[in-house]
Each structure stands twice: as structure tokens, then as C-alpha cells.
Amino acid sequence: MIRTDSIHCLLDCWAEILDMKNIDYRPLYSGIWNAQFGVTEAGISYYTSMQDPMDWPERCSRLFGLSFTHWCGPELANMECLTEYLRHQEGGEVAGIMYMDLYLMPYSVHYQVKHVPHSILVSYTGQPEPEAWHIKDPYFQWEGMLPVDVLARGFLMGFAVDFADSHPADNAAVSSLFKQDTGSSPGQLAIETERLVSEAVRQHGGYAPELLLVSVQEAGTVAKRFIGYQYILDYLAERTGCDTAAGTDAVHLLRKGWESLMLVIARFCIVRQPVDLEGFRRKLDKLEGYEQAAKQEISRALFLLADQHAVHDHQAMLGG
């Protein structure tokens, strides 16, 4: 499959690995709309050091059979352990993933500008002197070579992914996960965005301070994760024949709505007029409505998938 969307740097790497085996990776993105993001006094951040309550490696292993071997921590010895392991696995079905500081990655737009933890795929090229590694960054859609000393400077942590026994997700695992993820309460993004905007406006006499947009602008990046709804809708539509056009429309409106919302906040900061917080809340209510509509369409398609699965099992039993 050709994936052009950037959703989540780690999951995008796993999707790239699954694609190497021609495995439909779309179920991987179930629940990505609930993935952890950072919220501090400074505002919303795409990246956070907090532990994500959603165990993504366990989910990926359960769905697709990927196996993870971890080398945690920024110590150089951990990177040397990982690279040595990958050298010995050259030609095998093992991929390396490194968390890097994009401030130190020459290809990045954040190079020497901003410290940003980020996941990339690394593979050994067999080039000994000077040692260079092949890098693939699915999130930023960059591919090229980097010397090992550059990797060492930017290394935060890393692990190996064994995909030799990977397999497509089965209907039972997919149905269980989709049902769990669409039954969750509304995501935190709208809640935190409203809170930050409302608090800032009230603290400044009903006006938006200049730094308000800076504090919430990464909400627009976090909102990219709503693309996950479309992946799940398309996946179910292909397997059930269910018409999910209403869900697709809802996801489109949800994504465009968040883009529009960020422009609204920018306008608050530029136009020195009292902010209509009630009107802002109504805009967020609309976005939550679109998200709920997407979840309802997924739930409707899941019923059809379950019915088809039951019919298949019954026919298999009769045939046996």
C-alpha cells in the first residue's frame, strides 16, 4: 500500500515494516486518536515523556505478531549494542528503530532549531569505513544515508523489531480492538484546547494574549491522528462491502475543522477584540460531533463484519 499521510512517527515506522511483508497495516492505527500527547503550563505538545497508557507494542504484537527487543536509555553503549545486533542480522527480517533528537539530524527541519524526539528506521548497509547506515523516516518521508557518528550524537533510545513471523491481523483481534477504541469517551485534545484558550482569555480580560497560538499550535499536529479513523473505515469497507461514505465525510469535516480552528485561534491573537468563548465552545462541539459520527460508522461496519464472520464459521462447521 502507498501511505502518504504522516500520523504518528513510531506507528508510521511499524507500518513501513509491515508493508515490507505486504501486510495491511491499517488496523495498527486503531485508537491512535487517543494516543498520549503532552500538556504542560507552556501548552500542548505533540511529544511527551509521559508513559502512554495505550501499550502500542503489545497491540502491534497482538495484531501482527511483531517481536520487540529493547535497548532503552540514551547511553552510547545501548546504541552500540543495538547496532551490533543489527549487523549480525543483516539480510534477515529484523529492522532497527531509533528515537533520535531531530535537533541533531541534518536532514530535519528541526536541525539546530528545536529538540524533538522522533522515531526513524535504521538498517545496516555493510559499508565499514566510514560506517554509514540507511535511514528511512516515514513520518517526514525522507530516505538516505547517515554516518554512524551522526546517529550516535542524536541517539535517545532504540530497539529491534523482528518481523519474520508477522502476519495479517485476524477478524477477531481487529473487531475486539476496534470496538474497544470506538467505545472510548471523547479525546482529550478538544478538552485541553478549550481549557488553555479559556484560561488565557479570562486571565487577559477577555482578550487573547499574543502567545496563545504558540501554546496550542501543536494541537494541529496532534489532530493529524484523526486520519486513523479513515484508515479503519476504509479497512472495514473493503472487508464488508459496507458503505462508509458518511464516516468518510465526518472524518473530512473533522480534519478540516481542526485546521480551521487553528486559524480561528490565530485570528484571536491578531485581531484585538473580545473573544467569544461560547462561540469557540460551539466550534469544538461540532468537531466532537464529527468524531462521534466517525465512531458510529465504524461501529455499524463492525456489526456487519461480525455477522459475516459468524456466517463463515457456521458454513465451515457444516462443511466439516
Side-chain angles (χ1 to χ4, degrees):
M1 296 176 64
I2 299 175
R3 187 181 54 79
T4 57
D5 297 310
S6 300
I7 303 177
H8 185 284
C9 62
L10 180 57
L11 270 62
D12 290 350
C13 285
W14 292 347
E16 196 75 26
I17 291 170
L18 292 167
D19 198 43
M20 296 178 193
K21 297 274 284 188
N22 294 316
I23 293 173
D24 191 333
Y25 52 74
R26 289 175 295 183
L28 175 65
Y29 289 94
S30 178
I32 191 61
W33 45 85
N34 292 326
Q36 188 80 29
F37 59 90
V39 183
T40 66
E41 291 182 0
I44 290 172
S45 172
Y46 179 87
Y47 303 95
T48 176
S49 59
M50 294 177 61
Q51 180 69 35
D52 196 324
M54 301 179 75
D55 190 338
W56 295 107
E58 188 278 332
R59 283 168 159 252
C60 191
S61 179
R62 187 185 352 154
L63 284 173
F64 303 107
L66 297 185
S67 175
F68 302 92
T69 304
H70 290 260
W71 284 267
C72 295
E75 295 82 4
L76 187 58
N78 287 312
M79 179 181 153
E80 291 172 347
C81 182
L82 175 56
T83 52
E84 184 65 19
Y85 178 78
L86 293 173
R87 288 188 195 98
H88 284 93
Q89 299 298 320
E90 184 184 7
E93 294 185 313
V94 175
I97 292 181
M98 291 186 184
Y99 286 94
M100 310 299 292
D101 184 351
L102 290 181
Y103 182 88
L104 297 165
M105 294 292 99
Y107 72 86
S108 169
V109 295
H110 299 295
Y111 182 55
Q112 296 186 344
V113 174
K114 183 179 180 181
H115 293 282
V116 178
H118 183 69
S119 303
I120 60 173
L121 281 165
V122 300
S123 56
Y124 183 53
T125 63
Q127 179 180 320
E129 294 294 339
E131 185 177 345
W133 286 71
H134 180 260
I135 307 302
K136 193 162 191 178
D137 186 332
Y139 188 88
F140 288 114
Q141 298 179 24
W142 184 88
E143 189 171 1
M145 306 285 288
L146 287 179
V148 70
D149 61 317
V150 171
L151 294 181
R153 286 196 296 272
F155 181 78
L156 298 175
M157 63 171 287
F159 56 92
V161 182
D162 187 331
F163 56 95
D165 296 325
S166 56
H167 55 75
D170 64 57
N171 279 350
V174 163
S175 296
S176 173
L177 203 61
F178 289 1
K179 193 175 298 183
Q180 171 187 324
D181 293 333
T182 54
S184 60
S185 58
Q188 286 295 109
L189 186 59
I191 294 171
E192 295 296 344
T193 301
E194 182 192 15
R195 182 184 64 81
L196 288 165
V197 171
S198 297
E199 288 180 358
V201 168
R202 288 173 182 142
Q203 289 169 5
H204 290 81
Y207 292 82
E210 291 182 4
L211 292 179
L212 174 59
L213 181 60
V214 174
S215 71
V216 298
Q217 64 182 353
E218 289 198 25
T221 305
V222 176
K224 287 184 176 183
R225 298 171 182 176
F226 294 131
I227 299 170
Y229 284 118
Q230 191 60 58
Y231 277 24
I232 304 309
L233 285 164
D234 290 345
Y235 178 87
L236 290 171
E238 290 177 14
R239 275 151 183 76
T240 64
C242 181
D243 182 359
T244 57
T248 294
D249 290 343
V251 175
H252 175 75
L253 291 169
L254 178 62
R255 293 175 61 188
K256 290 297 181 183
W258 271 99
E259 292 174 7
S260 175
L261 192 75
M262 302 313 295
L263 293 175
V264 167
I265 297 172
R267 188 175 184 276
F268 287 165
C269 300
I270 295 170
V271 179
R272 300 298 298 165
Q273 294 179 354
V275 173
D276 178 7
L277 288 178
E278 287 300 317
F280 184 71
R281 174 66 256 180
R282 287 194 294 273
K283 292 181 186 298
L284 284 169
D285 286 342
K286 273 191 175 182
L287 297 182
E288 290 178 350
Y290 297 145
E291 185 173 4
Q292 189 59 35
K295 287 182 177 182
Q296 288 172 351
E297 282 298 291
I298 291 173
S299 296
R300 189 171 65 85
L302 277 174
F303 278 117
L304 187 54
L305 183 67
D307 287 345
Q308 291 178 350
H309 186 58
V311 170
H312 179 270
D313 287 348
H314 181 66
Q315 290 175 339
M317 183 177 65
L318 292 177

